[in-house]
Amino acid sequence: MRHSTQSSRRSRISRSVVAAMAIMLATALAACSQPQPPKETPTLKIGVLPIADTLPLHVADTEGIFAKQNVKVELVPFASAIERDTAMSTGQVDGLLNDLISVGLLNKDGENAKIVRTSMRAAPKMAQISILVGPNSPIKTPADLKGKEVAISRNTLIEYVTDQLLASSGLKQGDFKLTEVSKIPVRVEMLMKGQVAAATLPEPFTSLAVQQGARVLLDDKASQVGLSVITIRQGTVAKNPNAIKSFLAAYEEAVDKINASPEKYRALLVDRAKIPAAIKDTFAMPVYPNASVPKEAEVDQAIKWMVGKQLIGKPISYSKLVDPSLLPK
């Protein structure tokens, strides 16, 4: 009798276990059959200055190209390169549009950020950065700058390009005096008033100064030394490579649109790049480069200059600064 009771009890337990397992299986199958919520679209915060180089970013944003590529991008405006780079260093943005000198500084204490694309280069008909003299200046050649003041902003791309352009013209360090004038409008004003012999300016300030009578002494049309780049935090590259690829695909589409119909985007350029009213209708629309990264020689030259200026302690290899693998194929 006892044996029969125990068998019955075991049978009931077995049936209960089977029933429980069946319920669990049914629940799991039902869960699998339910539509899963879509994955959150990653958001990339990109720091920008009010400069012409950033136009493709604004086109991709305003025309919904980022959304089309399934990536959310927030363009974060900054008034100065110092504020922009600080935001990058402290993790407030995922990336930015900057230059080789800025990239070197961001990586001086370790592998923190990678160049993923060239954003702007000088072209045969349009320089990025120029050394100018005032309207009434007696200076005719670079050699005439010996012993003279050249207004720049120190430890920046402007100083780097100034050194490279003057060196290519046969001038050595010490042949000229570099004078710190960090605010570009003030630099233009001092040039026009003859308070400095020369000044190094980016566009559109070069075009504005030329319209007011200044003369270009040297520029980077041939050397393309004043190029700009898109740089992304190393952590973001490692965590969201597909988001970066989508971002760059959208950027490429925006570049194609601008280069195909540049005048269509003049008003947006004038607004976002703060083109001065005096030249808003005559300023030459930039030609934006297609997908590429800076050459190794270009990066090495900038890093060598930074080591010589003691801005960084030692050379940084090209592979630690540049990642071409995320560009559209």
Side-chain angles (χ1 to χ4, degrees):
M1 184 70 178
R2 179 183 297 175
H3 178 74
S4 176
T5 301
Q6 288 176 345
S7 297
S8 176
R9 187 178 299 163
R10 283 196 297 267
S11 178
R12 287 197 301 272
I13 292 172
S14 297
R15 286 197 298 272
S16 297
V17 170
V18 170
M21 291 177 66
I23 291 171
M24 291 172 63
L25 179 60
T27 302
L29 290 172
C32 290
S33 65
Q34 294 296 319
Q36 298 299 308
K39 290 184 178 180
E40 183 69 21
T41 303
T43 298
L44 300 175
K45 293 185 177 182
I46 306 296
V48 295
L49 296 176
I51 56 177
D53 306 38
T54 62
L55 180 60
L57 292 170
H58 293 295
V59 170
D61 184 38
T62 58
E63 296 199 354
I65 304 174
F66 287 134
K68 173 183 167 184
Q69 291 290 341
N70 197 35
V71 61
K72 293 180 180 178
V73 176
E74 179 186 348
L75 301 181
V76 184
F78 293 98
S80 72
I82 292 176
E83 294 172 350
R84 176 203 63 192
D85 290 359
T86 299
M88 182 75 157
S89 297
T90 55
Q92 298 174 54
V93 294
D94 296 291
L96 40 72
L97 193 150
N98 61 345
D99 56 71
L100 298 182
I101 306 307
S102 169
V103 173
L105 291 172
L106 288 171
N107 286 280
K108 71 176 182 177
D109 297 321
E111 199 170 340
N112 299 315
K114 285 278 182 79
I115 296 169
V116 297
R117 195 191 196 282
T118 300
S119 52
M120 181 68 93
R121 282 184 177 276
K125 293 184 178 180
M126 186 173 187
Q128 283 288 92
I129 297 175
S130 305
I131 299 176
L132 299 95
V133 296
N136 302 312
S137 173
I139 294 172
K140 303 299 181 184
T141 69
D144 296 335
L145 283 177
K146 285 188 175 181
K148 304 292 197 305
E149 285 185 297
V150 182
I152 60 158
S153 54
R154 284 200 179 275
N155 303 334
T156 66
L157 182 68
I158 291 294
E159 182 180 5
Y160 171 61
V161 173
T162 301
D163 279 353
Q164 299 305 309
L165 292 179
L166 292 177
S168 67
S169 298
L171 295 178
K172 304 184 298 293
Q173 292 289 325
D175 286 345
F176 49 90
K177 179 182 178 182
L178 297 179
T179 299
E180 169 75 22
V181 183
S182 58
K183 294 182 178 179
I184 299 176
V186 175
R187 213 180 305 157
V188 174
E189 182 179 1
M190 291 179 69
L191 176 71
M192 303 308 292
K193 290 182 176 180
Q195 294 172 344
V196 290
T200 306
L201 301 173
E203 288 290 0
F205 293 96
T206 292
S207 293
L208 180 64
V210 168
Q211 189 199 57
Q212 296 174 354
R215 290 182 290 109
V216 173
L217 190 66
L218 291 167
D219 63 42
D220 65 351
K221 287 178 182 175
S223 67
Q224 300 185 347
V225 69
L227 61 86
S228 61
V229 295
I230 295 175
T231 304
I232 305 293
R233 287 174 57 82
Q234 179 63 27
T236 303
V237 171
K239 184 179 179 181
N240 289 314
N242 289 333
I244 305 302
K245 289 179 179 180
S246 296
F247 165 76
L248 291 174
Y251 187 95
E252 193 70 16
E253 184 174 339
V255 165
D256 290 342
K257 284 177 172 287
I258 297 168
N259 290 343
S261 304
E263 286 301 323
K264 176 181 176 181
Y265 298 101
R266 178 175 292 277
L268 184 63
L269 176 69
V270 168
D271 178 54
R272 302 301 165 89
K274 310 301 181 188
I275 304 297
I279 58 171
K280 67 181 182 65
D281 297 322
T282 58
F283 180 70
M285 287 296 294
V287 176
Y288 295 90
N290 292 116
S292 64
V293 292
K295 301 179 183 70
E296 186 167 356
E298 293 172 323
V299 175
D300 288 348
Q301 182 180 12
I303 293 299
K304 181 180 179 181
W305 179 84
M306 294 184 74
V307 172
K309 291 285 183 177
Q310 299 183 336
L311 297 177
I312 56 177
K314 60 182 180 180
I316 308 172
S317 70
Y318 181 78
S319 62
K320 289 185 176 180
L321 295 174
V322 182
D323 184 354
S325 68
L326 301 169
L327 291 172
K329 304 302 181 184

